[in-house]
Amino acid sequence: MILITFLINPLQRLLQNPMAIKMTLLGIICLVLFLFGAILIRKMRQDIVAETAPAPPPQEGSPAFSLAAYNGLIQQLREKEQNLQRLLEKEQQRSTSADVIHETVLANLASGVVFLDRMGGVRQANRAAKSLLGYASPLMFNLRDLFRTVTRVRWPDGTEANYPAALTNALQQAIRDGVPMPKVEVEYRTPAGQQRTLAVSAFPVMEKNLAANPAKDKEAVGSCCMIEDLTQITEIAKQMHVSENLASMGEISAGLVRDFKNSLETIANHAQTLARAGTGEDTRQLAEKIKSEAESLSKVVAEFLEFASSAKN
């Protein structure tokens, strides 16, 4: 009884003090909020631990195991696809760089290059080939159209043909057999009428085709025709040949002139002898005229020989 009275009296005094009531209520509210926060934080920690903890491996034969295996296979396929895509992009870049290099080299070659397919159609021609043949764009031409203005073909053995089919038939045969065609010299007339001397050769363009025929690892897909301009070289050779002929004729002419000069001197000597031994006036006058004409011709011949000698030196 005394204990109850001891507890009630302070409680009555506390209830009679408004400030004490407010402080008590504030303390209770703070305690409740603290407990609620502690419980919430503990719950969140448990959830995080549950999420980060490794899931138990599914049992073999269960639907979860099949789904996990399927997801793993899909992931591997995706990784392989990405790797293949990267390799494909690198190969495309390498192929593009190689194509640029090839086009640059072909464009700057002094010799003409014409790529022909199996049917003899023109698939590609560089700048030099277009210039030598006189066509702005010979693409999709056939061999017969490309070389229809050939007037003469000279083979390596020295034989000649005066019709364009000799060249086109040889090129088509080389394409069909997949073998090179030796260099031949042709006389060619451009569409503009310019006459040119060209050297034409060809070699097969091979492509690997193991899947189609394992026993034959290479197959000709066409031919590469090389064209060289021999016009200037031929003209120089002709001029040298003419010069050699002129030099030979000059030497022969000089020999003939020397013989003629000697003959004139002989005639002059005989005329002088006749003039001295002649008994009649008419005979002496005729001998003097013969001698005078012979000496005059001999002088002309001497001047010609002197001029020829100085020109030769």
Side-chain angles (χ1 to χ4, degrees):
M1 189 65 180
I2 297 174
L3 180 60
I4 294 174
T5 303
F6 179 77
L7 294 174
I8 290 175
N9 289 335
L11 184 59
Q12 288 178 350
R13 287 194 299 271
L14 181 62
L15 293 174
Q16 290 176 357
N17 189 351
M19 183 60 67
I21 294 174
K22 293 180 180 180
M23 294 298 294
T24 303
L25 291 176
L26 182 60
I28 294 172
I29 292 172
C30 291
L31 180 61
V32 172
L33 290 175
F34 175 77
L35 294 175
F36 180 75
I39 295 172
L40 182 62
I41 291 173
R42 183 176 181 183
K43 178 64 176 175
M44 292 176 62
R45 184 180 299 172
Q46 291 176 354
D47 293 340
I48 294 173
V49 171
E51 291 178 357
T52 56
Q59 296 181 357
E60 186 175 358
S62 64
F65 180 82
S66 300
L67 181 61
Y70 180 73
N71 291 333
L73 180 61
I74 291 177
Q75 184 65 26
Q76 292 179 1
L77 292 176
R78 287 177 178 175
E79 292 177 356
K80 290 182 178 179
E81 182 181 4
Q82 293 176 357
N83 293 333
L84 290 176
Q85 185 66 27
R86 287 193 292 268
L87 292 175
L88 180 61
E89 291 176 355
K90 291 181 179 179
E91 188 63 28
Q92 289 177 348
Q93 293 177 357
R94 189 181 298 110
S95 177
T96 302
S97 301
D99 291 341
V100 171
I101 293 173
H102 293 166
E103 291 178 0
T104 303
V105 171
L106 288 177
N108 291 277
L109 276 178
S111 300
V113 180
V114 179
F115 289 101
L116 306 170
D117 59 19
R118 295 179 182 176
M119 304 303 295
V122 178
R123 293 302 179 185
Q124 188 176 357
N126 67 343
R127 187 185 309 164
K130 296 176 183 178
S131 176
L132 291 175
L133 297 175
Y135 291 104
S137 179
L139 299 181
M140 305 308 297
F141 275 30
N142 192 270
L143 280 176
R144 290 184 174 86
D145 300 326
L146 194 65
F147 296 108
R148 67 177 181 272
T149 56
V150 170
T151 58
R152 187 177 63 178
V153 181
R154 184 180 298 108
W155 303 102
D157 59 0
T159 58
E160 295 185 0
N162 297 324
Y163 50 92
L167 175 64
T168 56
N169 291 339
L171 284 171
Q172 288 178 340
Q173 184 68 33
I175 293 173
R176 285 194 298 267
D177 297 342
V179 296
M181 188 193 77
K183 184 182 294 185
V184 298
E185 183 178 325
V186 301
E187 296 294 334
Y188 176 82
R189 187 179 66 256
T190 66
Q194 297 177 347
Q195 194 69 27
R196 290 175 179 168
T197 303
L198 305 176
V200 180
S201 60
F203 60 88
V205 178
M206 313 301 291
E207 183 181 41
K208 291 184 179 180
N209 192 8
L210 296 175
N213 189 358
K216 186 179 180 180
D217 59 348
K218 289 185 179 180
E219 184 177 358
V221 297
S223 182
C224 179
C225 183
M226 302 294 296
I227 305 173
E228 301 176 27
D229 189 6
L230 302 180
T231 305
Q232 293 182 354
I233 297 176
T234 304
E235 290 297 328
I236 293 173
K238 289 180 179 179
Q239 293 177 4
M240 292 179 62
H241 184 66
V242 171
S243 299
E244 291 176 356
N245 290 338
L246 290 175
S248 299
M249 291 179 62
E251 292 178 358
I252 295 173
S253 299
L256 292 175
V257 169
R258 290 190 186 93
D259 294 339
F260 184 65
K261 181 176 180 296
N262 295 332
S263 298
L264 288 174
E265 291 177 353
T266 301
I267 293 172
N269 293 330
H270 287 312
Q272 185 176 3
T273 303
L274 180 63
R276 292 175 180 176
T279 58
E281 185 66 22
D282 293 337
T283 303
R284 286 195 300 271
Q285 290 179 358
L286 183 60
E288 289 293 337
K289 289 181 179 181
I290 293 173
K291 177 183 176 184
S292 177
E293 292 296 329
E295 290 177 351
S296 177
L297 289 175
S298 179
K299 184 178 180 181
V300 172
V301 171
E303 292 177 354
F304 174 78
L305 290 175
E306 184 179 358
F307 172 77
S309 178
S310 62
K312 183 177 181 180
N313 295 331

